[in-house]
């Protein structure tokens, strides 16, 4: 097992940018030794999501308890009344496995992780080709109501302004190309 701490790979982007697909692709490359950082959330489970795999689904009350006990590395009320956060214990779990942590989190959470571990974190901003493409992807996903899609689009417009604060901006206009670029970035950061 690795004695020193592992690295942290933050993939942040507006939802509908394709970042989740990129993160899953990286996780499938065993030689990278990546482990997904499972976030805690107070939102309802969607579709085929599984407890302890996609998220730790907890009640708003339990979420607030973790906040009070300083249990989070970062947390956000990403959408109204929907809280999301990275538990400190989650990163410890991953490092104890001797692996590197990979995060699929929002832009503000991503910047917070980077500020807590500036040297060991590679923060990647996945940029959709345009807001219109992103909106279309969200509609095709068919998991959100029209109101939720509107909320996500508004949030995306806000988030795009923060791209420059990340180490790298990865424009996802071609998924295969974006996957390859993401792989090369991660590999290089691990080796350095
Ligand atoms: P979704 O509801 O689509 O699963 O996620 C909504 C947003 O919350 C996405 O942008 C996702 O990346 C973000 N998110 C997921 N987990 C966390 C987390 O632990 N912290 C923060 N700040 N954002 C998160």
């Amino acid at each position: 097992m690795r004695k020193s701490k592992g690295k942290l790979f933050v993939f942040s982007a507006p939802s509908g940018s394709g970042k989740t697909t990129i993160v899953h692709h990286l996780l499938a490359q065993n030689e990278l030794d990546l482990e997904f950082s499972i976030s805690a959330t107070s939102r309802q489970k969607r579709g085929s999501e599984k407890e302890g795999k996609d998220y730790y689904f907890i009640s708003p009350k339990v979420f607030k308890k973790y906040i009070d006990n300083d249990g989070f590395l970062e947390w956000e009320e990403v959408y109204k009344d929907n809280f999301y956060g990275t538990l400190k214990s989650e990163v410890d779990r991953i490092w104890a496995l001797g692996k590197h942590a990979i995060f699929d989190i929002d832009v503000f959470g991503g910047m917070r992780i980077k500020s807590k571990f500036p040297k060991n974190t590679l923060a990647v901003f996945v940029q959709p080709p345009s807001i219109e493409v992103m909106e279309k992807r969200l509609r095709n996903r068919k998991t959100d109501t029209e109101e939720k899609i509107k909320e996500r689009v508004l949030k995306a417009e806000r988030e795009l302004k923060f791209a420059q604060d990340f180490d790298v901006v990865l424009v996802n206009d071609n998924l295969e190309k974006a996957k390859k670029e993401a792989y090369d970035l991660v590999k290089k950061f691990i080796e350095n």
Side-chain angles (χ1 to χ4, degrees), residues 11 13-15 19 38-40 43 46 49 55 74-76 78-79 84-86 104-110 141 152 155 159:
F11 281 78
S15 40
K19 78 172 178 292
I38 304 163
S39 298
R43 83 146 159 76
R46 272 200 312 247
E49 287 179 335
Y55 283 108
E74 61 79 32
W75 64 271
E76 289 282 330
V78 175
Y79 302 109
Y84 297 78
T86 305
D104 176 344
I105 64 179
D106 91 329
V107 167
F108 308 106
R141 201 156 81 175
R152 280 167 194 264
K155 180 169 152 61
E159 286 182 328

Side-chain angles (χ1 to χ4, degrees), residues 14 107 125 127-128 131 155-164:
V107 167
F125 187 96
Q127 190 167 306
I131 291 278
K155 180 169 152 61
E157 283 168 348
R158 253 193 348 253
E159 286 182 328
L160 284 176
K161 300 197 179 86
F162 291 92
Q164 77 237 32

Side-chain angles (χ1 to χ4, degrees), residues 44-94:
Q44 296 291 313
K45 221 184 261 177
R46 272 200 312 247
S48 62
E49 287 179 335
K50 291 209 169 56
E51 162 64 27
K53 179 172 173 282
D54 300 285
Y55 283 108
Y56 300 118
F57 293 97
I58 58 178
S59 67
K61 202 168 152 204
V62 171
F63 201 102
K64 285 187 181 129
K65 211 177 238 169
Y66 277 116
I67 297 175
D68 293 344
N69 294 336
D70 198 23
F72 285 110
L73 211 47
E74 61 79 32
W75 64 271
E76 289 282 330
E77 185 176 5
V78 175
Y79 302 109
K80 197 173 172 314
D81 295 331
N82 284 349
F83 294 85
Y84 297 78
T86 305
L87 290 163
K88 289 179 178 169
S89 57
E90 184 60 9
V91 176
D92 291 341
R93 174 184 79 82
I94 294 170

